[in-house]
Amino acid sequence: MKILAIDVGNTSTEFGVISGGEIECSFSYITKEKRTSDESASFVIQMLSLNGIDRAEISDGIISSVVPDVNQSLINAIVKYFGFAPLVVGPGIKTIISIVCDDPREVGADRIVDAVAAYCIYGGPVIIASYGTANRFDYVNEKGEFCAAITAPGIQISADALQENAAKLPQIEIAKPESILAKNTVTSMQAGLVYSQIGASEYIIAAIREATGTNAKAIACGGYANAIYEYTSCIDVYDPHLTLKGLNILYERNRKQ
């Protein structure tokens, strides 16, 4: 049986086909609020075909979303073209972990999915460092309790803010320059953006470990993690498919029951 796992983020939406717990393929598009269900279905069917998968092979699915305005259109696309209503990560779903925060309802579906994956795959205590539109640093203890969440501006938000608020600064590629000793505008911005993210990551992860009295393993994920994890020793594992793995774990836990 193949399932379609979908993670709707503020910047991009990732799709993954999972069979027997293994990710067969993944693809993504830019998240747009005005995309119709037909447009979404057309993209998914085309990408499945390019990966040698017929849509008839997809028998079920699960969706995690932090963009409520696109949910109905996307769900309609799955129902209309695939013939099933996907499981949606939200109230009532069995999450495996417990949310120990002031208001558990404030914890986003993306954070829950990543925390489930990190705890089930790597054990606790664990820190999930997710680099996307926002940078998220979440802590799950050895008992599987989601205890803390830190949110910071993502690297692209920071780059956009520089370009939009300083008239002479250009749009740049997010990349680590050869040296922190930048000698032109582009490498100056790249150095500032990337090294500030590395520094913030190292400080926040160290502070979480100190505050919890643990040496919690740090797992990096998210679209911009590859610009960070190679250049710091504070991150133990880079798992680019952590969210899809978490969706599969939640699917198995809830659909089977």
Side-chain angles (χ1 to χ4, degrees):
M1 181 179 75
K2 300 182 192 296
I3 71 165
L4 182 64
I6 306 171
D7 173 49
V8 183
N10 288 297
T11 301
S12 64
T13 298
E14 183 179 20
F15 300 82
V17 176
I18 304 174
S19 178
E22 298 295 323
I23 300 170
E24 291 194 2
C25 68
S26 63
F27 45 88
S28 63
Y29 62 38
I30 300 299
T31 302
K32 293 181 181 178
E33 295 180 5
K34 294 183 179 180
R35 183 179 278 114
T36 68
S37 58
D38 294 329
E39 289 172 324
S40 294
S42 176
F43 170 82
V44 174
I45 292 168
Q46 181 181 17
M47 293 305 299
L48 290 175
S49 178
L50 289 173
N51 284 278
I53 299 171
D54 189 279
R55 63 173 166 169
E57 298 179 64
I58 308 296
S59 57
D60 211 345
I62 181 170
I63 293 179
S64 166
S65 175
V66 294
V67 189
D69 289 345
V70 309
N71 293 357
Q72 196 58 53
S73 175
L74 189 53
I75 291 171
N76 287 344
I78 302 303
V79 171
K80 181 177 179 180
Y81 289 93
F82 291 85
F84 60 81
L87 179 69
V88 179
V89 178
I93 197 170
K94 296 178 176 63
T95 61
I96 302 172
I97 62 173
S98 56
I99 312 298
V100 186
C101 295
D102 291 343
D103 186 354
R105 294 170 298 180
E106 291 182 350
V107 180
D110 52 350
R111 299 187 107 121
I112 292 172
V113 172
D114 288 345
V116 165
Y119 180 73
C120 290
I121 297 169
Y122 301 102
V126 65
I127 299 166
I128 304 95
S130 178
Y131 298 90
T133 303
N135 290 346
R136 299 183 281 106
F137 300 88
D138 300 329
Y139 175 74
V140 180
N141 67 17
E142 67 280 359
K143 295 185 289 185
E145 296 172 333
F146 186 107
C147 300
I150 297 94
T151 307
I155 194 168
Q156 189 63 59
I157 286 179
S158 299
D160 291 343
L162 275 177
Q163 191 272 326
E164 291 172 8
N165 292 284
K168 291 187 177 182
L169 294 183
Q171 289 186 328
I172 63 166
E173 176 189 4
I174 303 297
K176 179 177 174 290
E178 292 184 3
S179 170
I180 195 170
L181 302 176
K183 298 183 183 299
N184 58 64
T185 300
V186 170
T187 56
S188 169
M189 293 172 67
Q190 289 174 330
L193 289 166
V194 174
Y195 283 105
S196 66
Q197 297 283 322
I198 293 170
S201 297
E202 292 177 343
Y203 182 87
I204 290 171
I205 289 171
I208 293 173
R209 287 169 174 160
E210 181 179 2
T212 59
T214 70
N215 190 29
K217 182 176 290 186
I219 314 300
C221 62
Y224 292 105
N226 59 351
I228 306 299
Y229 84 99
E230 286 188 71
Y231 309 112
T232 175
S233 61
C234 72
I235 294 171
D236 299 291
V237 178
Y238 169 50
D239 192 335
H241 294 307
L242 187 72
T243 304
L244 293 179
K245 293 175 182 178
L247 286 169
N248 183 61
I249 291 168
L250 288 173
Y251 175 85
E252 293 289 331
R253 171 84 173 188
N254 286 269
R255 279 298 202 226
K256 284 188 175 181
Q257 293 186 355

